[in-house]
Structure formats: C-alpha cells, structure tokens
Amino acid sequence: MSILVDKNTRLLVQGITGNEGLFHTQHMLAYGTNVVAGVTPGKGGGWVLEGKVPVFDSVRIAHEATGVNTSVIFVPSRFAADAIYEAADTGIQLIVCITEGIPVQDMMRVRNYLDQKGIRLVGPNCPGVLTPGEAKVGIIPGDISIPGNIGVVSRSGTLTYEVLYALKLVGLGTSTCVGIGGDPINGTSFIDVLGMFEADPYTDKIILIGEIGGTDEEKAAEYIADHLTKPVAAFIAGQTAPPGKRMGHAGAIVESGSGTAADKIKALQDVGVQVASHPEEIAELLA
Amino acid sequence: MSILVDKNTRLLVQGITGNEGLFHTQHMLAYGTNVVAGVTPGKGGGWVLEGKVPVFDSVRIAHEATGVNTSVIFVPSRFAADAIYEAADTGIQLIVCITEGIPVQDMMRVRNYLDQKGIRLVGPNCPGVLTPGEAKVGIIPGDISIPGNIGVVSRSGTLTYEVLYALKLVGLGTSTCVGIGGDPINGTSFIDVLGMFEADPYTDKIILIGEIGGTDEEKAAEYIADHLTKPVAAFIAGQTAPPGKRMGHAGAIVESGSGTAADKIKALQDVGVQVASHPEEIAELLA
Amino acid sequence: MKLHEYQSKQIFSHYGIPIPSGRVAANAADAKQIAEELGGHVVIKSQVLVGGRGKAGGIRLAKSPQEAEDLATQILGIKIKGLPVRKVLVDEAASIETEIYLGITNDRAERKPVMMASSAGGVEIEQVAKETPDKIVKVHIDPLLGLRDYQARDIAAGIDLPREHWQTFSQIGRGLWRAYLRSDATLAEINPLVITSQNRLLAVDGKMVLDDNALFRHPDLAEMRDVDVEPKAETEARKYNLSFIKLDGYIGCMVNGAGLAMATMDIIKLHGGKPANFLDIGGGASSEKVAAALRIILSDSNVKAVLFNIFGGITRGDEVARGILAALQEVKTDVPMVTRLVGTNAEEGRQILSEANMITAETLVDAAKKAIRAAQGGEQV
Amino acid sequence: MKLHEYQSKQIFSHYGIPIPSGRVAANAADAKQIAEELGGHVVIKSQVLVGGRGKAGGIRLAKSPQEAEDLATQILGIKIKGLPVRKVLVDEAASIETEIYLGITNDRAERKPVMMASSAGGVEIEQVAKETPDKIVKVHIDPLLGLRDYQARDIAAGIDLPREHWQTFSQIGRGLWRAYLRSDATLAEINPLVITSQNRLLAVDGKMVLDDNALFRHPDLAEMRDVDVEPKAETEARKYNLSFIKLDGYIGCMVNGAGLAMATMDIIKLHGGKPANFLDIGGGASSEKVAAALRIILSDSNVKAVLFNIFGGITRGDEVARGILAALQEVKTDVPMVTRLVGTNAEEGRQILSEANMITAETLVDAAKKAIRAAQGGEQV
C-alpha cells in the first residue's frame, strides 16, 4: 500500500527501448514491479527482455491493449514534454518523469496543462517512487531500503539513497520514498507528498530532504505547522553553495539572496522540525 | 428574473467611449439597465453621459471600485479577444460580446480558456441579451418586446427583432431573449440556453431561431428530445443560400454539404418542433 | 479568402514542407522558360480557385519545354467552371508511388482545430468522408497548446504510413500546423502529399483558406487576394463594407442584418420568385451606403425588381427612408422598388417612401409577393 | 547562459524593442570609428557578465570620437569584479528623463512567468525589492496563453507611466515577452527602459539569461556563449558533461549526484575544511569521466586533497572503484585521495581501493575528517 505506487500499479515505460529505459525496466521487473507495457514510437509490435514486456508505438495503443495506470518516462529531454502530454491525454493519472534537462518553459506549460486536467506528475529530473516490497517506479536502487513506516520525500537522488541506506543499516524501513526531482518547475511539491503521508496509515514518521533554491521547503514548513500530526525530520543540502550558481540540479540555485539553506533550515526548525546537520544523522533523529 | 440578466445585473461596458459603446450605453441606461461602470484604457478617471457612468482604465479597477458582475463588450474586433480575457481574469462571470469580426482562431483560444475557468460568454457577433422590463445588455431595441413567458434564443440580430416585434404585435411577451451570435465559434450554444429556459420558472414556451452553418441546431434538436418539456417553435434562415458562401455571418456557411437549412429543419421537425416557413409565422405557431 | 495552389505551396515551403521545384507563369513563353530550367519534364497546372481542374483539362504533363509551352497555351485559353485560367504553375514532375491527404481545418462543434489524414489522397476529402469514412483519421488540436508531436505520429500510424516516413511526416504535420496557425487559416491542406519513387515525401498540391477577419494582422497575405476571380460586384461591395453575394435570380434584395437577409431570400423563393443576391447593409443605413448597395444590385442586368426589407431598431425607420430617397436621387433607375419598413418609426418611414415612387408593404410575405409581381411587370406602382 | 548587454539588446531589437544605435568594439580604434559614425556623443560600456559596471568605472560618457577612443582604451584595460573587459559597446548617448525597470523571469512558486516593472529603474530590481517593494508591479503570465495586452497596460498604469506612453510600452512589453518566449530565456530584463528628453521610450540597458537545457533548439543563440568569462575548468567540465563549479577552498570533491555533492561540501565545511569545488559526475562512472574530472580538480593548484564520495546504487561499487583506479593510472599525482564508497558492492570496492594507495572511509563524517587531515599534511595514507 502506502502512497502513489504499490502492487496495483500497472506500469508503462515510455522510452523502453533506449539504454536507460531498458536497463531500468529490467531492474523494476526484477524488483517485482508490474511492468505491463513499453512505448517507443516506430518500434511497436516488438518485445523486450526476452518477451517479458510488449512494446507499442503509442501510449494510446499501449493503454488500450494493456490497461496501464501509471507511466514512467525515460525519453530524452527534448522529447520528454511531448511524452508527458501523450500520457496525460491518454488519461494516465500518475506520470513519473525521470528525464533530466527538460527546458523550464516546457515544464511551465506542462505543469499548467496537467493542473487543468488534475493529473499527477512526479518529477522530472527525479529518481522516481519506491514502495519497498511492492513496487519500484524509476531508478531508486531496490536493495538499499526495506519496508517500514517512514515516508521519505526528497528533491535529490543519491543523497536520498544515502538516507534510505542509513535507515536500513539501523533497521528502519520505508513506507514510500518519493523523489520529487531537482528541477525548478516540477509536478509534485513537498506539500503534496506531505499531505499524502499524513493521510497514509502505513506512514508514521516523515523525512524531508531539501536543498537550496526556490521556497518549496519554506512552504513545506508552513504546511507542516498547519496540517501535520506525524513527526518530521529534515536535511537541507547546499549550506556552502555560492549564490548565483546552479549546483548540478537546475533548481538548486540561490537567487537574489532567496532560496538559501539557512532560510530553509530556520523555517523548518521554527515549526519544530528536527534538522540534521549531515545526512547520516537523520537516521539517528528518527531512531 | 428570467435568465442571465435582470434587475441584479451590475453592468460594465468595455469600450464605453467608442461610438457604438457610448450610443448603446445611453440606450441601455434609458431602458433602466443598471450600468455601473465603463472601461476605456487611457481614459480612466472621466465620466460619460453627463456624469451617469464613471470610466476606468481597466476592468480590474472598475471591478474593485464598483463591483460589476456582468460585462458587455463593444471594443473593435482586433482588441476584443483581449477584452474578453481581461473580463474573465478579473472574475466576471457573465461576458456579453457584441463585437463582430473577431478572428476565429482567437475565439477558439478564448472559448477553450473560458471553459477551463467556467465563465459564460454570450456572443461574439451577437445583439446581446434582453429581459424585457428588467435589463437590456447589448443592442436589442428595448421597445420591440414586452415582458412575457416566451424565451427566445437566436443566432441572428434583426431577424430576431422581427420575431420579438411580431410577438408583441399579437400581445405576446418575452421572458428573456438571448442572441448567441452568428460566429462559427461562440461562447454559448443553443443547448446552453435551452437548458436555462427549461429551468426558468418564468419561461413557458421557447422560440429558437437558427440559420445555415455548423450543427448547433441539430444538437439542439437532440437536446430538446432528451431534456425539454416546454414547447419549442423554430425558424431556420438560409434555405436558398448557395453552398460555400458565407452569408454575412462568419458562421453562416454550408460546407461540404453539411449545415444546410433542410438538415436542420428536418432534425427539429423529427423531434416534434414546429418549424415556421417564415419568421412572422412563428408568432402564430405559439399563439 | 482562398489562396491559389502556388500561393499555398509558397507558404508551406516557408514552414519547411517539401514542395516540388516550380514557378508560376502568366504566359506560355514563361512556362517554356521555367520548364527548361526544371529539365523539361514538368506538370502544367491551371491556377483557378475551384476543384476539378484535372477533369477539366487544367492539369497536364509535359515531357519537354516545347510541349510545356504548347500545353500552357491551351490551358491559358480555357475556362474551368466558368473561371478563366490566367496563370499556370509549372512544377517539376514527380513520380508518385502513394498519395496521402493531410489537412487542418476548424471543427466548429468541438471548437478546436482538427488535423485529418487519409491514405486515400488525391481525392477530395469530402468524397472520402462520404464513401470510405473509416479511411479518415482525425486528431483534435488543443488551441492553447498546439499540435503535439505524438499526435502527428498517431496520425502516421493511423493511415498505416510506413515507419521510415514517420519522422518526416511529423515534421510536415508540424509545418502545416504552423502554416495554419501563423496565417490564421481556416483550412490548410496538402492533397496529395505523395511518396515519390525516390521514397521522399512531397506536397504536390495544396490549398489554403484564410480568415478574412484576421487579415489585418497579415498584410503580406492580404495582398495575395486575387480579385480577378470573384464577381466584380463582390469586390465593389467589400470596398463599402457591404456583405454581398451574387445569385442567379432576378429580385434584388437590400436588407439590414444577415439572418433577415437570408430569411428575405427564402421567402421570395417560397412564393415562387428568385433572389438575385444576398446583401446585408448592416447597422445604420447612410444614404451613401444605400446608394452604393443599390448601384451594385442594379449592375446586374437580370434584376427586374428590388426589395428593401429594413427592420428599424436602434436605427429609426424615418431615417432609413430618407437614406433610401437620397440614394435614389443619386442612382437613377426605372427598376421597380418595393419597400418594407418595420419597427421604430416605421409608419413615418412608410409615409416618406410612399410619397416617392415606391411600392410599400407591411409584412414580409406581402413584400415578397409585391416584388415578384413587380418583377413580372404586373405592377409598376 | 548569460548574454552580454549588446547581445541581449540585439535580440530585443529583433523583437521590435527600440534600442540606441550602437555597435560593439574589441579595441579603441574601432570604438573611435563607431563614435564618429554616431556623431561623437556616445557612451562606452564595458561588456562583462557582472553587475556594478558603472561604479567600477566600466561605463563612461564621451563627447567626441577622440574621447571615445581614450575612454575605450582605459576601459579595455581594467578588470571588473575580477573579469577582464574584452569588449565595449559604443552606444549613441541618450538624454534620459525617466528610468523604468521592465523584466520577465520565472516565478518558481507560481510555476508561471512573471513580468515585473518599477518606476525606480536603473537600480537592480533585487535592491528595489528590498528597499521599496511597493514600487514593484508584478503580473503573472499564463504560459499557455502568453502575455495579454491588458496585462501590459495594467503594468503601465501600475507604475504611473504617463498615458501617452501606454501604447508604446505595451508594444515593448509584447516584444520582451516574445524575446523571452522564443529565446527560451529564464530572465529578460530592460533596465533601464528610459523616457528620453525627446519623449521616446528606449531600452538603454538589457540583460538576458537563457535556459541551458533549451539551447538545443536555438543553435544561433548557443553560439553567443562567451567562454572567455568563465573559469577554464568549467568550460572543460561542460565538454565531459560534468557539472562543475569552482570554489575557493582546498579540498577537491568528486561525488555522484548533485544533492550528495552539496551535502559533501557542507560536511567538509562543518568539520572545519573548505571545499575547492562542486562536482557531480552523474550516473555511471566510467574511467574516462573520472579521469577527466580528476584532471579538472587537480588543475586547481589550491587543491591539497581529493575526496571521492560515491553511493553505489544501480552502479556497483566495485565498478566505480575500478574506474577510479584506471583514472589514477592516467592522471599521475601525489595529492592525497580519500574515498568513501557506500551501497551496492561497496565492500568489494573498498577492498580494491585500499590495495591502491588510497585512504578509505566508511561514513561521510569520517571521510570529511580524513580529507581535512590529509590536506593539512597530517596523513598521507
């Protein structure tokens, strides 16, 4: 159970025949995720991974043939916005976009379009969603986390893996881990996921992993104060980041003095969130 | 009471200082319509019609200052789409656009935008809405109709006046007359108005005045069969119109054999609507 | 406003759609010259704004510059559906393997542009729609978002286009969308879009119709209007902002309002007459406008009577009557005139007109009957 | 990617925004020549990608071509915030009555572009935002619909622009929106937009920042990149698709993942060290990529130790370890290396590395401490 993805997920992989798509489809299948179809335009009619997953020319055909309900996108950045529209127009209600480097104006249009339709996008530029023991949608390594009662939401990739792994090492498990992605405009915010975790009976504690740039963490702090009853611990990366520089993630930038780690940490601490001074400490805070 | 406009209408006139706008504002005021504000960008701060109506620079300012709830638009066609967006973005829930000649691609964008926001547009290229004895929003002459129980909905202007006047001559009155306009893409369809009349306790009978082009009348016929209990009489103009030519109205054109008067008349007759052979006959059909 | 094939294809080319090499010629010598430049093997295509050019002998293949000249001479001498051919397009001949239809138009019912394609290209889409509707693939385009790439691919798959062509087809689809969008077209179609024996996609024939209401933002396109091909009277009417369409009857009509104008034509027909035109003089009715309209109506020698049908609304009937009288001072004629004035100040208006040499009527039916009788010479006053 | 003033203004001009006459010059003789063409009264503006040019003496007025040459010579010799001036823009001098700010940027929180204006132009908008926030007018733009004319007028009214300028201001607003949209900008600002003493609106200074991720669709704009102004190491890193930012510390960092890379820098700082760089080597970790990254890190002579922090996820730890070893074969160095490998096959990876001459660590804290100690010469293995 938990949130977003689980045993009922019927997954479509957009861009399944690309290097990334194929590699991670293999890992998702190995984890037990119910990958039912893939799409690569022009390659419909074939199968991949020794006949395990059929490939279709379009999301519409894949949807009609297999009844997918979730899509994960691995297509290159210049085609990714189109892939999101295709999934959305076909009526897929949950879209997870792994692709990094989508132009930000494309994402503003995509996000405004999806909001009108009420369709949930996770990402882009994210590691995806993992519900340990049930489904892995994206690229989070499956073996670094065990089932448990801690919900994890993060803007980062490997930093999140650190935390999942640190939790596992002390015997703590995860209900669902959601990577919301490092882009300035994304589909799902901290607040969205915090709300889901609060409502989820399988989640008892929450970890939030933020970083510099934007004000999503500050908004999350407000939301925590107003709506959350479950304990939250956090870590914010980028205390030493210089202003005006993008730290790898397109969204990780301190602009005009706003979006600093110090501001975010203060906002979270002000509402009673424990903020770890380094990622490994989070496990201790929740232990 | 009746539909769309009444004593509670607080009307804004967009393009109030233009020839058309000013002339018709005078007539609307003379009729007793509650015209509370006008907008002409760059002329804010003045008054028109001997201090009867204040002029503002923008809809937002007019709305804040006077609490308008309905707007009627008289601005030239190249600025009309922008005027609709301005009214819609300010949160005005009923917009009546008189302007003729708005590019059809503009109207497709406008209509799709308004549908997302749930805002009602009547027109463009329409004579407006008249609820006799209560409010006149647009250019329908006030003295050709008396209050009564007949709802009139039409794609035409003067042809509608003919019908209102013919009704008046035999002592029949109108609940509300709605000119939905002669453009191929408009804000309000026959179906929308038929539904309102069916729900309106002040309307007992309905007149529908259609013309060649499109399939709005055919859809209205289906809707009448499925949803209407009140009697409907109709007239369809353009039986002698040659194919492929726009008959004055941008939307009045028989294309690829579709949109003919014969098709529309048959569709209406098939669902029991009495169709007059000439406009003056309608009054007799409902008498 | 309809564009000629050569104009439409120029626009297509601007948006990256591949078209054959070629140029337009107004005389046979030029056609020969162009054919020489193109290597001799060309197609000569009459540029007239009607369909069925092929059947009418308006499209011919030439194997040499000399043959091109001869054929151009022939084609420039014919009329197609009554329209004289004044220009021919000389295009490099393509060897065609497959013909596809691809077009964008406005879907009124859905209030969105719709892209349509069919593997039965080279035939008018209306005919395909009637005979084999399942061969047409349709995709609606979100007017705020524009055509998406995946939609173009869906269409390619829908018409069973070989996969090797999907990418080029998508580019052509995108180009057509941009041509449609940026020209404010109401129709942009490539018919046929062919696959050549060299396995290339090529827009061999094209058609665009532009939104007259949007021409103000396309002065370059507005200049493309070919006024030679429309009745002189319609060109003249546009000058005065009158909405006029010539018909083949004998009762001239002058009406305020498009719907009422159509209803007036209908009622003339209902009573056995034939309208000579559609004419909406719009709001107001200044004597200049009425005079211009009257001149245009009377320029048609078939017209045996004129029916004025005016609903006085905001415009008062007596004013309109005076406008008509002033116009009659200017335009001398002995064609009988029937006037029906209704609405505001109609009584005063009728008074004014009856003092002039005009037949007046009260109802529309009455007016139609009187006009028909007058046209037949039965009643001069 | 930041554009120079002269590049930004070229783009503005393309979209119909009025800019002063002027050209860019790389030497004083050209500056003199341009000043002559412009009539002598010009402004010489250093083209460097930082703010505060005026205060640094990088913007000067010249009253004659000779003065222009002299000033250009001076300005082309200075550095502004560490950046050498390699080009000057020579613009016709405008007599300025009023200075306005007008800009478009992305509002992350609203997920929409936002147009901002202020009557306090000529000052950085951040400063206005801090000191007199009520002087800033903001309007959000629907990304699917684009800037509406009424919004531009609302802004003009909001900053109390005299009405006579509203129409031109709206045109400039529309032009700026199109420049922003069609260049895939993340920032497009005119500062100041001035009203001249001839009562004309003129974009006297401008700035654009483009979205690096969108440059693939703007090859013409991509060519505008001025690689002279960024640290050589960053140019080099871009070649290998490495995300690298030079800092002023002494511990080089090589990490997979941007968040983890930041966290690594943070923890070095937390324990009293100073990171020399941010570096994300991304997924995988081929020996070529690791080698390139290592060369880039070591090209900074301040670097006294290197910390590898790798989380083995899909990429296995032993593979990464071999990549590092192979890279070390290529790049000979005696700078001490600390490696922390966690996750999948980390144990095997650590084994491989400890056999080489590397310091290994288990936790991030441990790694940071060891790297700091190594940098201070306290521990070589």
Side-chain angles (χ1 to χ4, degrees), chain C residues 123 125-134:
Chain C
V123 185
I125 191 74
E126 291 82 4
Q127 196 181 324
V128 180
K130 247 176 242 164
E131 291 167 12
T132 47
D134 53 310

Side-chain angles (χ1 to χ4, degrees), chain A residues 225-249:
Chain A
D226 294 345
H227 299 97
L228 254 65
T229 60
K230 301 179 180 177
V232 182
F235 174 75
I236 305 294
Q239 297 179 55
T240 49
K245 293 279 189 179
R246 289 190 193 281
M247 307 303 282
H249 288 161

Side-chain angles (χ1 to χ4, degrees), chain A residues 41-45 57-58 60 82 85-86 89 109 113, chain C residues 142 144-145 147-151 153-154 157-158 163 166:
Chain A
K43 301 210 172 156
D57 277 323
S58 74
R60 186 176 51 74
D82 194 60
Y85 289 120
E86 184 175 4
D89 289 349
R109 285 185 286 266
Y113 185 76
Chain C
D142 185 314
L144 298 175
L145 207 55
L147 179 76
R148 311 303 327 161
D149 284 353
Y150 84 84
Q151 297 182 305
R153 283 198 310 266
D154 274 3
R163 284 184 172 136
W166 283 15

Side-chain angles (χ1 to χ4, degrees), chain D residues 9 82 99 141 163 235 287:
Chain D
K9 278 155 71 177
E99 293 186 305
I141 300 170
R163 284 183 172 139
T235 311
S287 58

Side-chain angles (χ1 to χ4, degrees), chain C residues 282-342:
Chain C
S286 67
S287 58
E288 301 94 288
K289 216 170 175 182
V290 174
L294 200 53
R295 274 197 308 272
I296 289 165
I297 289 174
L298 295 174
S299 69
D300 177 357
S301 59
N302 291 334
V303 169
K304 302 289 179 246
V306 177
L307 169 53
F308 291 83
N309 185 17
I310 305 292
F311 192 93
I314 302 293
T315 314
R316 298 201 315 269
D318 52 339
E319 277 182 2
V320 177
R322 284 191 203 94
I324 294 174
L325 283 195
L328 283 174
Q329 296 293 324
E330 262 190 74
V331 188
K332 299 289 181 194
T333 179
D334 53 4
V335 170
M337 309 268 165
V338 179
T339 315
R340 172 182 177 253
L341 260 180
V342 207

Side-chain angles (χ1 to χ4, degrees), chain A residues 118-183:
Chain A
I119 289 169
R120 172 145 316 278
L121 169 71
V122 175
N125 190 14
C126 82
V129 185
L130 172 71
T131 294
E134 302 214 16
K136 158 179 149 76
V137 172
I139 64 174
I140 301 174
D143 56 359
I144 60 169
S145 185
I146 53 175
N149 65 349
I150 300 176
V152 178
V153 57
S154 170
R155 280 169 68 186
S156 173
T158 46
L159 179 54
T160 313
Y161 309 166
E162 280 276 0
V163 172
L164 295 179
Y165 193 63
L167 290 174
K168 180 181 170 184
L169 289 182
V170 296
L172 293 176
T174 305
S175 55
T176 299
C177 173
V178 184
I180 61 172
D183 270 8

